[in-house]
Amino acid sequence: MHRYDFVFLFDVTDGNPNGDPDAGNLPRIDPETGDGLVTDVCLKRKIRNYVGLVHGETPPHEIYVKEKAVLNAQHERAYVACDLDPKAKKRTDEEAARLKDWMCGNFFDVRTFGAVMTTGVNCGQVRGPVQFTFARSVDPVVTLEHAVTRCAVTTEAEAEKQSGDNRTMGRKFTLPYGLYRAHGFVNPHLAEQTGFGDDDLALLWKSLEQMFEYDRSAARGQMAARRLIAFKHDSPLGNAPAHKLFARVKTPGLAGENRETPPRRFEDYEPQITVVDADLPVGVTVEELI
């Protein structure tokens, strides 16, 4: 397993890529700059959903953190498989290692992203080899608010109050367009500890390429993976700092292009997105996966 530092570019058209529940589900925005934000948790959720769909929730591609999951029930499965008592007060180091190995071996997201599994039925903690930053839009975004109507009501009382008109008003929030950039990392030392291998890495790349295709909803509008650029290191410790490699991926914003109108499609950016691959540090290669 090699170390990788990668840049992931995706966009949204007329949708809400990641609503903030603390702000009425408005799209997440940096209040000081107006940049749009998408959390790392949101990106990992879509990867989990894709892997679970493609592999049918079967080992070694089960999903640990999923909708309606009971985490302690998953931990109990590990104890049963390892022939251990979940009510025992103490565990030996060997027993703790067996539990972690079982969880990593069965659950894709545990061996990929790690997990804190100390919730009552204790399976320990795992540091995952794959991590993401928040995604941030290349340019500031603007939130639009739309009034929507439904030609139905929920209760008989509402129908009587409206004298049979039966309409419900609602609000919907979207961004006209946003191109987002996230950074990610693959740590080969942690991959060795969790069992994250080359097949898992290939599945990760495929997930980033296709996850939006299987996560459609009216609320999220049209989302698409646009570019995935990975810097591969020969040395497990890395051959160059990640931030210097990320700086080689150029995504000029509005100020650099002096546009008179804000961007509304990927083609407004695509010709200007470049990867500076000349004079790369020794031991680093570039793989343009999307």
Side-chain angles (χ1 to χ4, degrees):
M1 175 64 65
H2 291 268
R3 171 181 154 179
Y4 288 88
D5 303 308
F6 59 92
V7 178
F8 180 49
L9 291 167
F10 62 93
D11 64 357
V12 57
T13 303
D14 296 324
N16 182 353
N18 186 199
D20 185 350
D22 288 331
N25 210 44
L26 282 163
R28 297 180 189 271
I29 291 179
D30 181 334
E32 292 187 321
T33 65
D35 295 343
L37 300 173
V38 172
T39 66
D40 59 317
V41 175
C42 177
L43 297 176
K44 290 177 181 178
R45 174 77 273 144
K46 296 181 190 306
I47 293 171
R48 287 182 169 104
N49 290 346
Y50 176 83
V51 172
L53 177 66
V54 170
H55 288 278
E57 289 281 350
T58 57
H61 297 102
E62 286 192 71
I63 299 301
Y64 174 68
V65 179
K66 59 186 177 181
E67 187 175 1
K68 299 180 180 179
V70 179
L71 301 183
N72 278 347
Q74 307 287 35
H75 302 173
E76 289 172 356
R77 289 175 55 201
Y79 274 86
V80 171
C82 296
D83 195 24
L84 298 174
D85 181 5
K87 297 181 181 179
K89 298 293 184 181
K90 295 182 179 180
R91 298 168 303 159
T92 66
D93 291 343
E94 185 271 338
E95 289 173 340
R98 285 166 56 196
L99 290 169
K100 289 182 181 180
D101 288 345
W102 191 91
M103 294 297 292
C104 289
N106 277 265
F107 295 100
F108 173 84
D109 53 339
V110 174
R111 68 175 175 274
T112 303
F113 306 131
V116 177
M117 301 176 291
T118 55
T119 55
V121 182
N122 189 351
C123 280
Q125 299 183 33
V126 173
R127 287 186 63 196
V130 178
Q131 299 301 332
F132 288 87
T133 65
F134 275 32
R136 179 177 289 269
S137 65
V138 175
D139 282 309
V141 296
V142 60
T143 299
L144 301 182
E145 183 177 0
H146 311 274
V148 295
T149 60
R150 181 180 68 180
C151 58
V153 292
T154 305
T155 66
E156 291 286 348
E158 290 179 277
E160 292 175 3
K161 186 176 181 179
Q162 295 188 29
S163 301
D165 189 41
N166 289 17
R167 292 189 178 275
T168 305
M169 300 295 294
R171 316 297 294 177
K172 185 175 182 178
F173 304 101
T174 65
L175 305 176
Y177 182 81
L179 176 65
Y180 288 78
R181 173 173 173 156
H183 295 162
F185 314 88
V186 179
N187 183 322
H189 301 284
L190 295 178
E192 184 177 358
Q193 294 176 23
T194 69
F196 181 87
D198 291 335
D199 289 343
D200 294 318
L201 180 64
L203 181 55
L204 173 69
W205 298 148
K206 182 62 70 174
S207 300
L208 290 171
E209 178 184 356
Q210 296 189 354
M211 63 187 185
F212 296 124
E213 302 296 326
Y214 300 93
D215 190 54
R216 303 294 185 191
S217 78
R220 283 187 283 278
Q222 182 171 311
M223 299 186 67
R226 294 298 188 174
R227 298 291 296 275
L228 177 57
I229 300 155
F231 294 92
K232 179 180 179 180
H233 300 251
D234 285 347
S235 169
L237 293 174
N239 298 88
H243 69 278
K244 291 186 177 181
L245 298 177
F246 292 150
R248 290 175 171 269
V249 181
K250 308 293 185 180
T251 50
L254 289 177
E257 295 303 311
N258 295 318
R259 297 190 188 97
E260 295 182 359
T261 59
R264 287 295 181 265
R265 57 179 188 161
F266 181 64
E267 288 71 22
D268 291 337
Y269 290 100
E270 201 278 332
Q272 289 81 38
I273 297 176
T274 57
V275 183
V276 180
D277 55 5
D279 299 320
L280 279 169
V282 175
V284 176
T285 56
V286 177
E287 298 180 1
E288 298 196 39
L289 302 169
I290 301 177

